[in-house]
mmCIF file with all atom_site columns, all heavy atoms in Angstrom:
data_model
loop_
_atom_site.group_PDB
_atom_site.id
_atom_site.type_symbol
_atom_site.label_atom_id
_atom_site.label_alt_id
_atom_site.label_comp_id
_atom_site.label_asym_id
_atom_site.label_entity_id
_atom_site.label_seq_id
_atom_site.pdbx_PDB_ins_code
_atom_site.Cartn_x
_atom_site.Cartn_y
_atom_site.Cartn_z
_atom_site.occupancy
_atom_site.B_iso_or_equiv
_atom_site.pdbx_formal_charge
_atom_site.auth_seq_id
_atom_site.auth_comp_id
_atom_site.auth_asym_id
_atom_site.auth_atom_id
_atom_site.pdbx_PDB_model_num
ATOM 1  N N   . LEU A 1 45 ? 55.077 38.029 2.523  1.00 0.00 ? 52 LEU A N   1
ATOM 2  C CA  . LEU A 1 45 ? 55.645 36.587 2.575  1.00 0.00 ? 52 LEU A CA  1
ATOM 3  C C   . LEU A 1 45 ? 56.755 36.415 3.568  1.00 0.00 ? 52 LEU A C   1
ATOM 4  O O   . LEU A 1 45 ? 57.107 35.358 3.780  1.00 0.00 ? 52 LEU A O   1
ATOM 5  C CB  . LEU A 1 45 ? 56.278 36.323 1.074  1.00 0.00 ? 52 LEU A CB  1
ATOM 6  C CG  . LEU A 1 45 ? 55.239 36.194 -0.047 1.00 0.00 ? 52 LEU A CG  1
ATOM 7  C CD1 . LEU A 1 45 ? 55.885 36.068 -1.341 1.00 0.00 ? 52 LEU A CD1 1
ATOM 8  C CD2 . LEU A 1 45 ? 54.146 35.134 0.206  1.00 0.00 ? 52 LEU A CD2 1
ATOM 9  N N   . TYR A 1 46 ? 57.383 37.393 4.023  1.00 0.00 ? 53 TYR A N   1
ATOM 10 C CA  . TYR A 1 46 ? 58.590 37.340 4.840  1.00 0.00 ? 53 TYR A CA  1
ATOM 11 C C   . TYR A 1 46 ? 58.250 37.309 6.234  1.00 0.00 ? 53 TYR A C   1
ATOM 12 O O   . TYR A 1 46 ? 57.309 38.039 6.699  1.00 0.00 ? 53 TYR A O   1
ATOM 13 C CB  . TYR A 1 46 ? 59.658 38.371 4.450  1.00 0.00 ? 53 TYR A CB  1
ATOM 14 C CG  . TYR A 1 46 ? 59.984 38.217 3.077  1.00 0.00 ? 53 TYR A CG  1
ATOM 15 C CD1 . TYR A 1 46 ? 59.481 39.088 2.072  1.00 0.00 ? 53 TYR A CD1 1
ATOM 16 C CD2 . TYR A 1 46 ? 60.846 37.323 2.716  1.00 0.00 ? 53 TYR A CD2 1
ATOM 17 C CE1 . TYR A 1 46 ? 59.961 38.883 0.755  1.00 0.00 ? 53 TYR A CE1 1
ATOM 18 C CE2 . TYR A 1 46 ? 61.324 37.199 1.309  1.00 0.00 ? 53 TYR A CE2 1
ATOM 19 C CZ  . TYR A 1 46 ? 60.812 37.996 0.361  1.00 0.00 ? 53 TYR A CZ  1
ATOM 20 O OH  . TYR A 1 46 ? 61.149 37.837 -0.953 1.00 0.00 ? 53 TYR A OH  1
ATOM 21 N N   . PRO A 1 47 ? 58.937 36.843 7.178  1.00 0.00 ? 54 PRO A N   1
ATOM 22 C CA  . PRO A 1 47 ? 60.220 36.066 6.933  1.00 0.00 ? 54 PRO A CA  1
ATOM 23 C C   . PRO A 1 47 ? 59.909 34.609 6.481  1.00 0.00 ? 54 PRO A C   1
ATOM 24 O O   . PRO A 1 47 ? 58.865 33.995 6.709  1.00 0.00 ? 54 PRO A O   1
ATOM 25 C CB  . PRO A 1 47 ? 60.915 35.977 8.193  1.00 0.00 ? 54 PRO A CB  1
ATOM 26 C CG  . PRO A 1 47 ? 59.709 35.943 9.346  1.00 0.00 ? 54 PRO A CG  1
ATOM 27 C CD  . PRO A 1 47 ? 58.645 36.891 8.634  1.00 0.00 ? 54 PRO A CD  1
ATOM 28 N N   . ILE A 1 48 ? 60.775 34.024 5.542  1.00 0.00 ? 55 ILE A N   1
ATOM 29 C CA  . ILE A 1 48 ? 60.747 32.682 5.097  1.00 0.00 ? 55 ILE A CA  1
ATOM 30 C C   . ILE A 1 48 ? 61.502 31.789 5.816  1.00 0.00 ? 55 ILE A C   1
ATOM 31 O O   . ILE A 1 48 ? 62.772 31.905 5.840  1.00 0.00 ? 55 ILE A O   1
ATOM 32 C CB  . ILE A 1 48 ? 61.019 32.673 3.522  1.00 0.00 ? 55 ILE A CB  1
ATOM 33 C CG1 . ILE A 1 48 ? 60.158 33.616 2.711  1.00 0.00 ? 55 ILE A CG1 1
ATOM 34 C CG2 . ILE A 1 48 ? 60.938 31.315 3.018  1.00 0.00 ? 55 ILE A CG2 1
ATOM 35 C CD1 . ILE A 1 48 ? 60.661 33.689 1.349  1.00 0.00 ? 55 ILE A CD1 1
ATOM 36 N N   . PRO A 1 49 ? 61.040 30.855 6.520  1.00 0.00 ? 56 PRO A N   1
ATOM 37 C CA  . PRO A 1 49 ? 61.849 29.836 7.238  1.00 0.00 ? 56 PRO A CA  1
ATOM 38 C C   . PRO A 1 49 ? 62.586 28.917 6.238  1.00 0.00 ? 56 PRO A C   1
ATOM 39 O O   . PRO A 1 49 ? 61.949 28.294 5.414  1.00 0.00 ? 56 PRO A O   1
ATOM 40 C CB  . PRO A 1 49 ? 60.962 29.116 8.140  1.00 0.00 ? 56 PRO A CB  1
ATOM 41 C CG  . PRO A 1 49 ? 59.600 29.210 7.507  1.00 0.00 ? 56 PRO A CG  1
ATOM 42 C CD  . PRO A 1 49 ? 59.625 30.563 6.710  1.00 0.00 ? 56 PRO A CD  1
ATOM 43 N N   . ILE A 1 50 ? 63.759 28.894 6.335  1.00 0.00 ? 57 ILE A N   1
ATOM 44 C CA  . ILE A 1 50 ? 64.701 28.069 5.393  1.00 0.00 ? 57 ILE A CA  1
ATOM 45 C C   . ILE A 1 50 ? 65.223 26.887 6.123  1.00 0.00 ? 57 ILE A C   1
ATOM 46 O O   . ILE A 1 50 ? 65.549 25.903 5.475  1.00 0.00 ? 57 ILE A O   1
ATOM 47 C CB  . ILE A 1 50 ? 65.659 28.859 4.440  1.00 0.00 ? 57 ILE A CB  1
ATOM 48 C CG1 . ILE A 1 50 ? 66.679 29.613 5.496  1.00 0.00 ? 57 ILE A CG1 1
ATOM 49 C CG2 . ILE A 1 50 ? 65.061 29.883 3.644  1.00 0.00 ? 57 ILE A CG2 1
ATOM 50 C CD1 . ILE A 1 50 ? 67.818 30.249 4.743  1.00 0.00 ? 57 ILE A CD1 1
ATOM 51 N N   . VAL A 1 51 ? 65.441 26.973 7.330  1.00 0.00 ? 58 VAL A N   1
ATOM 52 C CA  . VAL A 1 51 ? 65.993 25.905 8.264  1.00 0.00 ? 58 VAL A CA  1
ATOM 53 C C   . VAL A 1 51 ? 65.038 25.884 9.504  1.00 0.00 ? 58 VAL A C   1
ATOM 54 O O   . VAL A 1 51 ? 65.129 26.881 10.186 1.00 0.00 ? 58 VAL A O   1
ATOM 55 C CB  . VAL A 1 51 ? 67.467 26.070 8.563  1.00 0.00 ? 58 VAL A CB  1
ATOM 56 C CG1 . VAL A 1 51 ? 67.896 24.843 9.528  1.00 0.00 ? 58 VAL A CG1 1
ATOM 57 C CG2 . VAL A 1 51 ? 68.304 26.004 7.346  1.00 0.00 ? 58 VAL A CG2 1
#
Side-chain angles (χ1 to χ4, degrees):
L52 296 174
Y53 299 99
I55 299 172
I57 57 174
V58 176

